[in-house]
Amino acid sequence: MSSARFTVSHAADAHFERGLRSFFEYRDLGIRQATYGRVVAHVIRAAAGTDFSSQPHLHHTTFQLVYVLKGWIEFEYEDQGTVRLLAGSCVYQPPGIRHREVGHSEDVELLEIVMPADFRTEEVASVQP
C-alpha cells in the first residue's frame, strides 16, 4: 500500500451534508480516503434555517487547522478568551484545547484539516479546566 493516493475535488461536484454540528453542513474533500484515514479535510458552511447551539468541548486530535474562507466565526478558547476569525484568518487548535463556538455569520465558510480523520469529540463542563 502506498502512503497516499492522488485525489481531486471540484466545486462543480460539491455535495454538502450534516455532520458533527447540526447547524453546519460539511463537504468532504476526499482526503480521508486518499490518506487511508490519516487526515480529513472538509469545507464547512452554516446550514440555513438551523438554530445555533454550541457546547464546550475538546477534540482528541494530533492536528487541527481552521481557515476562514468567507464570513466570520468566534470561538472561546481555554486560556485564550474569545477569538474572532474573519475571512483569511487561520487558527491552529492544539490537541485537547477546550473551546466552544460563540457565533458565526450566516455566510460563514471554513476549511478544516484534522488528523486523524476519525477523531473523537468530548463535551466538557466549561472552556476553562
Side-chain angles (χ1 to χ4, degrees):
M1 174 170 52
S2 69
S3 61
R5 298 182 298 210
F6 180 81
T7 187
V8 175
S9 179
H10 296 284
D13 301 327
H15 171 73
F16 285 83
E17 56 188 43
R18 297 294 166 88
L20 180 62
R21 303 279 174 234
S22 63
F23 47 87
F24 283 143
E25 296 175 327
Y26 298 76
R27 173 186 168 202
D28 181 16
L29 298 176
I31 306 304
R32 175 192 310 261
Q33 295 80 14
T35 63
Y36 300 99
R38 288 191 295 275
V39 182
V40 66
H42 43 253
V43 175
I44 304 169
R45 68 181 182 192
T50 59
D51 291 330
F52 164 77
S53 174
S54 180
Q55 301 301 314
H57 62 278
L58 58 85
H59 303 293
H60 294 272
T61 62
T62 57
F63 177 86
Q64 183 176 20
L65 176 138
V66 176
Y67 181 85
V68 181
L69 300 167
K70 184 177 180 184
W72 61 268
I73 189 167
E74 280 186 356
F75 291 99
E76 180 184 15
Y77 288 106
E78 175 181 2
D79 298 328
Q80 304 301 315
T82 301
V83 176
R84 185 179 183 104
L85 304 170
L86 307 170
S89 297
C90 180
V91 63
Y92 164 67
Q93 295 180 173
I97 189 170
R98 295 169 184 247
H99 63 284
R100 71 179 181 98
E101 186 186 340
V102 178
H104 62 264
S105 63
E106 290 181 7
D107 66 342
V108 70
E109 287 189 9
L110 316 166
L111 170 66
E112 182 177 57
I113 302 170
V114 186
M115 296 172 62
D118 294 318
F119 63 93
R120 188 169 62 86
T121 297
E122 177 184 339
E123 289 193 7
V124 294
S126 71
V127 171
Q128 300 304 318

